[in-house]
Amino acid sequence: PLLGQDGQSLGALQWPIRDDEPLTNWQQLFDSNPVAMLLLADSGHITHANAAFGRLMGWRSAELRGWHADRLKGLKRRPSILESTWQHVREEGAWQGTIWGRKGNVGKEFPLHLQLHQLQPHGPASCLGVFHDLSEQHGVQERLFRQAHYDSLTQLPNRLLLEDRLAQGLARAQREHHHLAICYLDLDGF
């Protein structure tokens, strides 16, 4: 089933895409939906992308038809992850997770939540991809990390970050049978 952002089922979507057929209600809903979506063939090639997906990725939706999906994602650099994702969809019928997309040809990478749902194996469209831009949430997380681990006045690492890095360093030294030296400087009245 197709899941909404709240995790609730939106029902099953079964609909063949052929250029010679009139638009169905599902196709109209797909094309006009504000959520970025695309349909993929078994081969991983894009058979249809809605306008929201085109805007999100920085391409016109019509020019995406026929492209292989790995051309759009940062996962292309890690083929083992891409292949395991497709394998999971074939075996379980769905997959969801965070990937990195790239806007246009040379655009900046940004985080995306992707849901893949198997529709009709060996049909004209066998997989539906639903994309949500996580850039804003990712930015908030980065700001919170910075506030928690760095002094706001000096921008120097604070005690929490020191403790974290010290714990990592001690674990690594113990694991690799090395020594770890620490130089501590206490500034009074600063």
Side-chain angles (χ1 to χ4, degrees):
L2 182 62
L3 301 177
Q5 281 186 325
D6 59 359
Q8 297 297 315
S9 175
L10 299 176
L13 176 63
Q14 302 224 347
W15 138 61
I17 296 286
R18 289 198 293 264
D19 290 333
D20 60 342
E21 288 186 4
L23 286 178
T24 65
N25 289 340
W26 274 112
Q27 286 172 301
Q28 290 172 352
L29 176 65
F30 179 89
D31 288 334
S32 63
N33 200 306
V35 174
M37 296 187 286
L38 59 74
L39 293 170
L40 301 166
D42 278 339
S43 63
H45 287 88
I46 298 170
T47 61
H48 198 78
N50 70 358
F53 181 80
R55 284 189 302 275
L56 177 66
M57 299 304 290
W59 299 95
R60 289 193 332 265
S61 57
E63 66 186 324
L64 295 170
R65 183 175 278 187
W67 284 17
H68 197 277
D70 68 0
R71 188 170 169 186
L72 300 170
K73 296 186 279 187
L75 288 178
K76 185 175 183 181
R77 293 188 305 259
R78 297 166 66 186
S80 61
I81 291 177
L82 185 61
E83 185 52 40
S84 67
T85 300
W86 286 116
Q87 186 67 28
H88 193 272
V89 170
R90 285 190 289 271
E91 291 173 0
E92 303 294 327
W95 179 88
Q96 66 176 333
T98 300
I99 63 168
W100 288 85
R102 183 180 304 272
K103 196 172 273 287
N105 270 339
V106 292
K108 182 180 176 185
E109 285 190 339
F110 61 101
L112 292 165
H113 179 76
L114 170 60
Q115 296 176 348
L116 292 173
H117 304 276
Q118 191 172 28
L119 298 176
Q120 301 167 339
H122 314 296
S126 64
C127 188
L128 170 70
V130 180
F131 297 78
H132 301 280
D133 186 352
L134 299 177
S135 297
E136 187 174 315
Q137 292 160 322
H138 189 72
V140 167
Q141 288 174 343
E142 285 180 357
R143 283 190 299 278
L144 288 174
F145 178 86
R146 184 112 189 124
Q147 289 172 354
H149 293 92
Y150 291 88
D151 180 76
S152 60
L153 178 63
T154 64
Q155 298 304 311
L156 293 172
N158 65 16
R159 184 175 294 175
L160 186 62
L161 187 58
L162 171 67
E163 289 172 359
D164 177 62
R165 297 304 187 262
L166 183 58
Q168 288 180 21
L170 287 170
R172 183 176 180 189
Q174 187 176 23
R175 186 175 55 247
E176 297 175 2
H177 304 290
H178 289 108
H179 297 285
L180 178 68
I182 299 171
C183 178
Y184 180 74
L185 179 62
D186 187 11
L187 299 176
D188 289 329
F190 177 69

